[in-house]
Amino acid sequence: MPKMTFIEKDGNHKVVDAPVGLSVLEIAHRNGIDMEGACEGALACSTCHVIVEKKWFKKLDEPTEDEEDMLDLAFGLTKTSRLGCQIVMREELDGLVVQLPEQVTNWMD
């Protein structure tokens, strides 16, 4: 089974199983990672914002226009920012590393 690493807000690295077909958001929730996901993956918020390690960013599918619109609302946006709900695990992503930003913006409250 593929693995992935979450770099948590405190800098702790947590390596977890990352089943193929699940989103990074779903994987985070299954493993007790502090990632909100207020809209539950409906592309209506940016609370599952992650910063993807550069070497992995190039291996991801291009973001949709809807994802880019939501990313515009994210706190601490970087060139390798993505929404965790839109990154679906596949074998080629075995070893994926994502960092959680220090804060998230929840426009749904």
Side-chain angles (χ1 to χ4, degrees):
M1 174 177 300
K3 302 250 186 233
M4 69 171 292
T5 301
F6 289 92
I7 303 172
E8 298 177 299
K9 295 172 188 176
D10 64 2
N12 182 45
H13 287 61
K14 189 167 184 181
V15 178
V16 299
D17 287 335
V20 171
L22 290 185
S23 71
V24 167
L25 175 62
E26 292 168 315
I27 295 165
H29 286 176
R30 282 189 174 196
N31 289 282
I33 304 292
D34 185 21
M35 183 185 294
E36 185 173 343
C39 75
E40 299 179 5
L43 268 175
C45 75
S46 63
T47 61
C48 65
H49 169 221
V50 294
I51 301 162
V52 180
E53 196 172 79
K54 283 184 183 181
K55 83 173 205 174
W56 292 103
F57 186 78
K58 298 172 190 169
K59 297 180 181 192
L60 300 178
D61 294 332
E62 291 289 320
T64 64
E65 189 174 326
D66 288 340
E67 181 181 358
E68 288 179 346
D69 288 346
M70 285 296 107
L71 281 169
D72 287 342
L73 305 175
F75 179 85
L77 190 66
T78 73
K79 291 181 180 183
T80 62
S81 288
R82 292 294 301 269
L83 296 181
C85 68
Q86 298 301 298
I87 302 171
V88 177
M89 198 62 187
R90 55 184 197 268
E91 290 290 341
E92 303 82 44
L93 295 178
D94 185 19
L96 176 66
V97 178
V98 300
Q99 180 175 352
L100 302 179
E102 291 181 23
Q103 292 182 322
V104 295
T105 304
N106 187 350
W107 298 102
M108 297 182 72
D109 285 341

